């Protein structure tokens, strides 16, 4: 029985987030609930579902399906999330959320913050 | 230069969160911003600061220091965060946030959810 | 350019291993190179290839393809790795390595070690 | 009881390794057992011990304390591990293993591999 529990815990799969995400999301104009929604997208995708509905998100978030749909829309409008469409070999059309732009924006923001810090340190060295 | 950036990225240290946290925080009566505050506590502690001030939290969150203080207070009142006090060998008093109760509550909530799921499955089997 | 590097680093995808794996692999009769081979299987699978050949493993390991094939064989004989076969919807047969038994054995070993530790502690309490 | 087990599992603390470590350790002239020894150093340090003895390492590795001491020595000679010495405020001398050089070498190796790959791709484009 304890073993079964451990295996179920493992099935929930850990997710790893770069520390930079926590220090930079504010500069990326993201709210905390949007960060958590993105973590849900990552986690749900790891478990095999690349295109969760607002209803599925609302089940694990403290927001309604309507709110979740609104957040998704805003993240798509900002260009952080894209929807990739395609056709499987059997001709079935599929859609999946793609976070490539999100990671790219995170890298951008991290590099800008780093440059600003360096500029500040140089200024202080000169004084 | 690219190397320096990679090393800085690594210094931000990844944090790993159990998938169960994402599926259970709602049942733990936590809001998304409280989950993110807890992730900040973990991340900041990993970088060596076990007792960040509300001002330090407000720097990386979209909330004011006052709001962060309020969230911390509520998490402490719920018994999820405790403040451990102690005296270092040099006689200096220190305080640190302790998340042991939080992990315990997460394990509890996960086990309750698991039991409920099993009961549901058994019911369905009987039909 | 630094951004491109960061994105490439991210594409390599982090993998997370339970601390218990490091404390228990010896009791599971695994050698260090077998642990690393399993980490490679996890990592390569995360990147989309569920059935790497011994040649692909030999590219990233300090062992020959023949040695890698031998290690895989032993892990399969021990029942830690299984090969799942199936047919895709287009009728194409596929094979993939499956680590479910490995995680189950890890959970088992962890629980046995835990019981032994408790027994030891109880004995010491009685003295 | 299942809860106690989950909490013990959590206490073992997950460790996260960059995918790049798995793809680059061979180019860094590291053997699999040396990679695992480094993972042990990271994990044991996360649990609060920054200077495990060869005996402590031998307990969790399939190598003797003598072998572990030899591996540590070689990693130090290669400059991947350094021993940082210091005096605590109470005047007590302490030593700790430091992996900064190891991460730096990993970043270096990753960048060199990346340049080589780009050169190859450019060559192929020209043909």
């Amino acid at each position: 029985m304890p073993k079964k529990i451990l295996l179920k815990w493992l099935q929930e799969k850990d997710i790893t987030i770069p520390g930079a995400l926590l220090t930079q999301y504010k500069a990326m104009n993201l709210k905390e609930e949007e960060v958590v929604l993105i973590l849900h997208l990552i986690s749900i995708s790891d478990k095999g579902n690349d295109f969760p509905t607002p209803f599925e998100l609302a089940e694990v978030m403290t927001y309604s399906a309507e709110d979740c749909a609104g957040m998704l829309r805003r993240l798509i409008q900002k260009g952080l999330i894209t929807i990739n469409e395609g056709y499987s070999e059997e001709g079935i059309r599929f859609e999946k959320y793609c976070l490539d732009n999100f990671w790219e924006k995170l890298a951008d923001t991290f590099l800008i913050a780093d440059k600003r810090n360096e500029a500040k340190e140089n200024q202080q060295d000169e004084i």
Side-chain angles (χ1 to χ4, degrees), chain A:
Chain A
M1 156 74 167
K3 187 174 108 183
K4 229 173 111 188
I5 285 296
L6 271 186
L7 292 173
K8 281 189 185 167
W9 182 272
L10 284 173
Q11 273 162 17
E12 293 281 341
K13 281 193 183 160
D14 295 339
I15 71 164
T16 300
I17 54 175
L21 173 54
L22 285 176
T23 54
Q24 304 302 328
Y25 73 80
K26 187 181 183 175
M28 291 166 79
N29 286 320
L30 289 174
K31 290 284 298 169
E32 277 74 8
E33 58 269 28
E34 294 170 318
V35 171
V36 173
L37 183 140
I38 286 168
L39 298 184
H40 279 299
L41 291 184
I42 295 170
S43 171
I44 294 172
S45 160
D46 279 354
K47 293 188 209 157
N49 177 0
D50 290 326
F51 200 62
T53 65
F55 294 96
E56 287 171 301
L57 289 166
E59 261 174 53
V60 286
M61 295 191 73
T62 70
Y63 291 87
S64 68
E66 211 174 315
D67 290 338
C68 291
M71 277 192 238
L72 280 170
R73 211 179 312 119
R74 276 193 301 282
L75 291 168
I76 290 166
Q77 279 164 356
K78 282 184 189 176
L80 293 175
I81 297 181
T82 52
I83 297 179
N84 283 3
E85 307 196 4
Y87 287 86
S88 74
E89 295 186 23
E90 307 99 273
I92 298 163
R93 188 169 154 280
F94 65 85
E95 291 181 309
K96 54 188 281 184
Y97 289 120
C98 168
L99 293 170
D100 286 357
N101 285 4
F102 169 75
W103 295 116
E104 201 172 325
K105 178 82 182 292
L106 174 58
D108 269 337
T109 313
F110 180 74
L111 292 169
I112 291 166
D114 182 58
K115 263 193 197 149
R116 205 165 27 216
N117 284 340
E118 286 215 337
K120 245 191 242 166
E121 280 166 24
N122 290 340
Q123 266 189 323
Q124 288 174 334
D125 287 353
E126 283 168 21
I127 296 168

